[in-house]
């Protein structure tokens, strides 16, 4: 991907850090600092209501929900999916198609695994990410003796939404998949997972149906000894096996006399077959041990990047959305106030991006529409045709104070 394609609306600076920078650049004006604090408090209150609504939609889909509250219908999942996507957009996440940003070769190069995800039991899976950057990642090969650098795109945050099929959609292959999943996973449930610092070649490892397949090198290491040892043994055993069949036939009443030499050869054949069986079992155990090593490598890749799961992700996302909302509003208001003249939307957008780059070194595709919608709704800016103008900080503080008082105006009911 090009550098421009990687830019998104995620503002990585902390909210308090941005507010202090704006207040300082505004000359240390107390009214500006107080106004920003009150604006952040208002947006926090609004975010709390969104969190309660999102929790209500997710509760029936939670894998740990009691049977009395479950809702496995497609409509329930779609309602939650729509609300979650709106929350993700507010937090400046963008949906990504993992097949468009990764290849099997890149995944194998970075993780050392060949992974094929299975969609058994899964109705839908979607990936969302923000904060992309380009990094050189170290990868060790040849038992850790050789080191190489792999250029990859790394995303600060990745959220994965997984919807599982309901019971009336489950087929035989799906039943096997559910039986292999962790205890408590059930048809009709939804998973929400939050990961940190994920490279695009590692996206496939976040798939709940990800299964590492045996690499050709390991297949050769396991198969070559089996062929080299097993085939000669079987060829030498074949004449003795025919004698064993003759001995068995005589024992069960067939005509003929078994000589002592033939009986010895039959016993040798039985010993050889036991040896072959032991050899096959040993190769099978080697295969299973290698498979377990693959599974552990895959689990380690996911484990150390997982931040939160299910209901816990909702709190993080609502908080992230509130944080981004506040920073966008702070910037849009400051840019307009600092210019001391009416500005068009495009001018505000460019000025905000320039401020973030000059002040914090951040390359951001500023969400100008969201930013202006928030401060215009609160009356902090005035629009005249296609241009905007910010009111004075003292006046903005009065408007926000009145809005805050209006939220808890219980005295009017007496």
């Amino acid at each position: 991907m090009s550098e421009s394609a990687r830019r998104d609306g995620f503002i990585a600076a902390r909210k308090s850090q941005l507010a202090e920078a704006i207040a300082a650049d505004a000359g240390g004006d107390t009214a500006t600092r107080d106004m920003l604090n009150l604006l952040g408090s208002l947006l926090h209150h609004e975010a709390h209501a969104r969190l309660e609504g999102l929790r209500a939609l997710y509760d029936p889909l939670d894998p740990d929900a009691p049977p009395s509250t479950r809702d496995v219908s497609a409509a329930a999942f779609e309602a939650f999916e729509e609300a979650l996507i709106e929350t993700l957009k507010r937090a400046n996440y963008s949906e990504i198609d993992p097949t468009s940003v990764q290849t099997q070769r890149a995944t194998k190069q970075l993780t050392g695994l060949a992974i094929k995800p299975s969609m058994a039991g899964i109705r839908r899976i979607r990936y969302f990410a923000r904060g992309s950057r380009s990094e050189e990642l170290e990868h060790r090969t040849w038992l850790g003796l050789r080191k190489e650098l792999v250029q990859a795109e790394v995303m600060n945050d990745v959220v994965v939404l997984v919807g599982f099929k309901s019971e009336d959609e489950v087929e035989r292959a799906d039943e096997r998949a559910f039986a292999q999943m962790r205890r408590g996973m059930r048809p009709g449930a939804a998973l929400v997972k939050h990961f940190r610092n994920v490279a695009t070649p590692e996206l496939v490892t976040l798939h709940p149906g990800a299964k590492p397949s045996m690499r050709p090198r390991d297949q050769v290491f396991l198969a070559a000894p089996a062929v080299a040892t097993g085939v000669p043994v079987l060829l030498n055993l074949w004449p003795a096996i025919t004698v064993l069949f003759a001995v068995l036939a005589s024992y069960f009443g067939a005509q003929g006399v078994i000589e002592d030499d033939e009986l010895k050869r039959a016993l040798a054949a039985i010993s050889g077959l036991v040896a072959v069986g032991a050899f096959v079992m040993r190769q099978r155990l080697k295969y299973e041990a290698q498979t377990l090593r693959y599974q552990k490598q895959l689990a380690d890749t996911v484990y150390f990047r997982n931040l939160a799961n299910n209901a816990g992700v909702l709190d993080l996302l609502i908080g992230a959305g509130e944080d981004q909302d506040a920073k966008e509003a702070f910037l849009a208001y400051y840019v307009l106030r600092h210019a001391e003249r009416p500005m068009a939307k495009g001018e505000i957008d460019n000025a905000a991006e320039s401020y973030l780059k000059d002040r914090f070194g951040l390359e951001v595709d500023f969400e100008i529409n969201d930013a202006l919608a928030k401060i215009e709704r609160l009356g902090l800016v005035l629009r005249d045709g296609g241009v905007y103008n910010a009111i004075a900080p003292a006046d903005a503080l009065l408007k926000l104070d009145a809005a805050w008082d209006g939220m808890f105006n219980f005295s009017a009911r007496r």
Side-chain angles (χ1 to χ4, degrees):
M1 281 189 178
S2 65
E3 181 65 29
S4 60
R6 286 199 302 268
R7 293 174 65 210
D8 57 28
F10 174 53
I11 303 173
R14 288 181 293 106
K15 182 171 65 175
S16 60
Q17 182 184 21
L18 179 61
E20 285 300 321
I22 289 175
D25 293 339
D29 180 27
T30 303
T32 298
R33 182 176 282 103
D34 292 341
M35 187 272 293
L36 294 178
N37 288 336
L38 186 52
L39 175 57
S41 298
L42 277 167
L43 295 175
H44 175 74
H45 180 77
E46 293 176 356
H48 176 73
R50 290 195 298 272
L51 175 59
E52 292 302 315
L54 194 60
R55 282 174 175 169
L57 290 173
Y58 182 68
D59 281 348
L61 303 171
D62 193 320
D64 298 320
S68 60
T69 64
R70 294 175 184 174
D71 187 345
V72 299
S73 65
F77 175 77
E78 289 168 1
F80 169 71
E81 181 182 34
E82 182 179 354
L84 180 67
I85 291 173
E86 179 62 31
T87 301
L88 288 163
K89 288 180 179 178
R90 187 179 290 273
N92 289 325
Y93 281 81
S94 301
E95 185 167 11
I96 54 174
D97 178 6
T99 60
S100 68
V101 295
Q102 68 183 17
T103 63
Q104 283 191 342
R105 179 180 177 277
T107 300
K108 189 182 299 183
Q109 184 181 25
L110 187 59
T111 67
L113 298 171
I115 300 174
K116 295 180 180 180
S118 170
M119 288 296 292
I122 298 174
R123 176 190 289 152
R124 185 149 62 247
I125 180 168
R126 302 176 74 170
Y127 297 80
F128 302 85
R130 70 176 188 180
S132 299
R133 64 188 185 278
S134 181
E135 281 191 11
E136 279 191 341
L137 304 178
E138 182 180 294
H139 173 59
R140 292 186 177 273
T141 56
W142 296 102
L143 301 176
L145 300 177
R146 180 185 174 190
K147 181 176 70 174
E148 63 178 352
L149 296 177
V150 179
Q151 192 74 25
E153 181 186 3
V154 179
M155 293 159 287
N156 282 2
D157 298 278
V158 175
V159 172
V160 183
L161 170 64
V162 185
F164 291 97
K165 295 179 180 179
S166 59
E167 290 183 349
D168 57 350
E169 298 174 295
V170 170
E171 299 175 355
R172 181 172 298 179
D174 301 321
E175 291 177 355
R176 290 196 297 269
F178 278 112
Q180 295 172 358
M181 291 180 189
R182 73 167 178 86
R183 184 168 57 91
M185 187 48 60
R186 59 179 177 81
L191 288 182
V192 189
K193 291 184 169 289
H194 184 197
F195 300 90
R196 175 64 57 83
N197 293 331
V198 179
T200 51
E202 296 173 327
L203 280 171
V204 68
T205 66
L206 310 184
H207 195 291
K211 293 182 179 179
S213 57
M214 190 69 68
R215 289 176 295 188
R217 180 185 66 191
D218 295 319
Q219 291 176 353
V220 170
F221 286 159
L222 290 173
V227 173
T229 305
V231 172
V233 171
L234 289 175
L235 290 176
N236 291 329
L237 281 177
W238 180 249
I241 292 174
T242 57
V243 175
L244 177 62
F245 287 150
V247 171
L248 291 174
S250 175
Y251 179 79
F252 287 107
Q255 293 181 353
V257 178
I258 302 300
E259 303 291 339
D260 289 343
D261 289 343
E262 291 179 334
L263 186 59
K264 291 178 181 178
R265 290 172 61 189
L267 293 174
I270 294 175
S271 300
L273 289 175
V274 171
V276 171
F279 176 78
V280 171
M281 182 61 67
R282 185 170 68 249
Q283 292 303 109
R284 175 64 184 178
L285 291 175
K286 286 183 179 180
Y287 175 85
E288 291 179 351
Q290 184 62 42
T291 301
L292 287 175
R293 282 192 285 269
Y294 284 157
Q295 292 288 359
K296 183 181 183 303
Q297 191 173 347
L298 175 61
D300 287 346
T301 302
V302 175
Y303 180 85
F304 292 104
R305 288 170 172 79
N306 187 217
L307 289 184
N309 299 293
N310 301 334
V313 180
L314 307 186
D315 293 83
L316 289 176
L317 290 179
I318 291 294
E322 173 207 329
D323 189 67
Q324 295 295 308
D325 277 350
K327 287 185 281 191
E328 290 166 0
F330 291 175
L331 274 169
Y333 176 83
Y334 168 73
V335 165
L336 275 170
R337 188 62 192 168
H338 181 71
E340 296 183 344
R341 65 176 179 84
M343 297 177 71
K345 187 181 296 185
E347 293 180 286
I348 304 169
D349 191 8
N350 293 334
E353 292 176 1
S354 297
Y355 182 82
L356 289 171
K357 184 175 182 179
D358 296 340
R359 200 69 161 80
F360 301 99
L362 299 176
E363 292 280 356
V364 175
D365 183 11
F366 188 65
E367 297 285 347
I368 183 61
N369 291 324
D370 291 344
L372 288 175
K374 285 185 278 285
I375 57 178
E376 187 178 7
R377 171 172 59 85
L378 294 169
L380 306 185
V381 298
L382 302 175
R383 179 170 56 173
D384 183 11
V387 297
Y388 297 81
N389 196 13
I391 65 176
D395 296 333
L397 187 57
L398 291 175
K399 282 186 173 291
L400 293 175
D401 186 44
W404 183 261
D405 291 341
M407 288 183 176
F408 305 100
N409 191 16
F410 298 106
S411 60
R413 303 179 185 177
R414 295 176 181 174

